[in-house]
Amino acid sequence: MKAFFEDPALLVGLPFIILGAFGLVVAAGALLAPKPALSAAGGATDAHGAHRGHPDEAEYIKVGLTLAAITLIEVAIYYINVPRNLFVAILIALSAAKFAIVVMWFMHLRFDSRIFTTAFVGGMVLAFGVFTVLIVTLGSNIV
């Protein structure tokens, strides 16, 4: 692990790759999310005119199965002989994907205003940037 923090190429390149993957997951989730129609009262409605505030149980089961599948992939990768740097990158990317799914569904950012998603993702990008600068600046001194 110490070698990972001492290699400048990994410290600078890997965070940008992970940040890009996280951005792709968030963007794909926003693009693939169905856009509810607005009723005359201004609320979101489904195709039958009923108010759509939360997903039904079947959607939560699908999300749970997706999270379980990603976790199974993470566990399987642990037992496969993968180079250390690739192993860390894959696990971080899969963790970011699970994080995005949990935030979109269970924190209901998928159903809220885009400004909340922008504020949340902006804060995460800022925190990730500060962490990256800290690691690059201090390097192996923090390990």
Side-chain angles (χ1 to χ4, degrees), residues 21-42:
F22 180 72
L24 285 175
V25 168
V26 171
L31 291 174
L32 297 175
K35 308 294 186 267
L38 293 180
S39 68

Side-chain angles (χ1 to χ4, degrees), residues 30-140:
L31 291 174
L32 297 175
K35 308 294 186 267
L38 293 180
S39 68
T45 59
D46 63 8
H48 302 289
H51 183 67
R52 179 163 166 79
H54 296 285
D56 61 355
E57 293 83 14
E59 290 184 52
Y60 279 116
I61 290 172
K62 290 177 190 174
V63 171
L65 290 174
T66 303
L67 292 172
I70 294 173
T71 302
L72 286 174
I73 293 169
E74 288 174 336
V75 171
I77 287 174
Y78 178 78
Y79 290 105
I80 297 173
N81 190 13
V82 178
R84 181 87 173 149
N85 298 336
L86 183 61
F87 174 75
V88 171
I90 290 171
L91 287 183
I92 290 175
L94 289 173
S95 296
K98 285 194 330 186
F99 174 78
I101 291 170
V102 167
V103 166
M104 286 188 300
W105 284 91
F106 295 110
M107 290 179 64
H108 304 287
L109 279 181
R110 182 172 177 235
F111 306 104
D112 283 339
S113 172
R114 296 278 183 214
I115 195 158
F116 297 129
T117 303
T118 303
F120 186 82
V121 172
M124 289 300 297
V125 169
L126 180 64
F128 190 78
V130 169
F131 177 74
T132 303
V133 168
L134 176 74
I135 293 295
V136 170
T137 303
L138 297 180
S140 64

